[in-house]
Amino acid sequence: MIMSFIELTNVTIKYGSIVALENISFKLEHPFFAIIMGPNGAGKTTLLRALIGLVKPSRGEISVFNLDPVKDPYKVRSIVGYVPQMITVDTSVPLRVRDVVLMGIISKMKPPRVFKTPRINYEIERALKVVGLGELHDELFSILSGGQKQRVMIARAIVTKPKLLLLDEPFSMLDAEAKCELAELIYRLYREMNISILMAAHEISPCLPYEPLILILNKKLYGIGKAHDVLVREVLAKAYAGYMEIGKIAILGEDHG
Ligand SMILES: Nc1ncnc2c1ncn2[C@@H]1O[C@H](COP(=O)(O)OP(=O)(O)OP(=O)(O)O)[C@@H](O)[C@H]1O
Ligand SMILES: [Mg+2]
């Protein structure tokens, strides 16, 4: 059996003279449930964008299910869903929830964009049901709550049945309850639909019950493993050196009482 996976080999990415990622190597076997954690500017978004060919490595190689995102961006994007860091829907246009999900289908089609409406409608409804918004397909996107909008963005990303879902800071705008509900949904996509998950997040506590694989990133990769292996002082102190945020991260196995 051929294993499918994503693999980075000695990847360095620069923006001009700024080094965003430095000599990153790791491999994740499908299906995986993984979180990239690191301070602001650590290169989390850059790493996600590189996997779909939106930024190119200046050195090293990236393989996504045996495809090179630089050489084959359209093939890669046909099997990868992406939920960007900011919700990128123009709310000055009165779009309905179903229209936002439809954009996920259209954006992956090659011209001429001919499609069968009943089939498309079925796929849109199915994706909205998966994220728990089956009732809201005719609602205006702009009036939804932050948590509901984030779910619509996930429906938009999974409507084309990707093998891999990239999520950039999906929890950032949500309250504690919505964070936990969203973490549960993301975990279900992985467990029940066999979609590999790679998400960037500052806060991983909503996902900890699901025992994700954690990548500690700050330009370099400082650790990769389960919480007990990487959320430890020696790894975090190096990755977060000079950042205030370390005080906010629960270091496992230490008694703060
Ligand atoms: N388009 C760009 N042009 C120039 N520099 C960029 C660009 N995008 C990112 N950078 C720089 O690359 C580095 C990594 O940025 P990136 O957005 O990948 O970090 P991040 O971990 O996602 O940060 P955050 O937690 O704030 O979202 C930063 O120093 C950033 O300023
Ligand atoms: Mg980012």
Side-chain angles (χ1 to χ4, degrees):
M1 194 178 93
I2 301 168
M3 292 285 210
S4 54
F5 50 79
I6 66 170
E7 185 168 22
L8 278 76
T9 314
N10 303 118
V11 171
T12 293
I13 298 185
K14 292 182 188 171
Y15 298 100
S17 59
I18 298 170
V19 178
L21 294 175
E22 191 181 332
N23 205 25
I24 303 284
S25 299
F26 66 88
K27 181 169 169 174
L28 298 171
E29 269 167 25
H30 176 73
F32 52 82
F33 182 61
I35 302 184
I36 310 165
M37 194 181 149
N40 290 121
K44 302 182 294 295
T45 297
T46 300
L47 176 50
L48 296 182
R49 289 168 60 84
L51 290 171
I52 48 173
L54 292 174
V55 283
K56 297 177 177 55
S58 31
R59 245 194 72 214
E61 270 161 39
I62 301 180
S63 168
V64 177
F65 300 118
N66 297 316
L67 295 166
D68 178 339
V70 174
K71 290 188 188 132
D72 262 327
Y74 293 98
K75 265 194 200 154
V76 170
R77 286 171 212 169
S78 73
I79 53 168
V80 180
Y82 176 45
V83 180
Q85 188 158 4
M86 298 290 169
I87 290 179
T88 50
V89 171
D90 181 357
T91 47
S92 64
V93 184
L95 284 174
R96 298 196 180 273
V97 166
R98 54 164 59 259
D99 302 325
V100 176
V101 181
L102 174 65
M103 278 153 44
I105 299 175
I106 294 174
S107 67
K108 304 249 159 121
M109 280 178 155
K110 284 189 182 136
R113 297 189 169 90
V114 183
F115 51 77
K116 294 201 170 76
T117 310
R119 174 85 198 154
I120 293 279
N121 285 344
Y122 171 80
E123 297 294 351
I124 292 171
E125 309 240 322
R126 191 192 57 90
L128 283 169
K129 271 194 198 128
V130 169
V131 302
L133 295 180
E135 307 292 301
L136 291 182
H137 54 97
D138 276 330
E139 199 55 84
L140 280 177
F141 180 75
S142 57
I143 67 158
L144 300 184
S145 72
Q148 288 171 330
K149 279 186 180 144
Q150 199 59 264
R151 280 166 187 264
V152 176
M153 300 313 284
I154 291 175
R156 183 174 83 162
I158 62 163
V159 69
T160 49
K161 303 193 178 83
K163 288 169 83 165
L164 167 64
L165 180 61
L166 307 175
L167 298 140
D168 201 348
E169 308 272 0
F171 303 122
S172 59
M173 308 268 282
L174 309 182
D175 63 34
E177 197 185 337
K179 279 176 190 166
C180 290
E181 286 170 4
L182 190 66
E184 193 198 344
L185 164 64
I186 294 167
Y187 181 68
R188 262 201 303 118
L189 299 177
Y190 157 69
R191 285 300 295 199
E192 293 171 16
M193 297 177 69
N194 214 37
I195 300 175
S196 280
I197 304 288
L198 185 60
M199 85 175 110
H202 283 282
E203 199 186 348
I204 62 162
S205 48
C207 294
L208 281 180
Y210 310 113
E211 300 183 3
L213 204 59
I214 301 169
L215 291 87
I216 307 287
L217 185 75
N218 191 0
K219 286 189 187 10
K220 297 178 189 166
L221 186 62
Y222 285 90
I224 177 167
K226 290 293 171 95
H228 273 90
D229 298 321
V230 295
L231 296 186
V232 294
R233 184 166 290 279
E234 60 207 88
V235 175
L236 294 175
K238 276 188 216 151
Y240 283 78
Y243 290 82
M244 292 298 290
E245 287 175 52
I246 189 158
K248 290 195 224 155
I249 299 168
I251 295 178
L252 297 181
E254 289 188 12
D255 185 3
H256 295 284

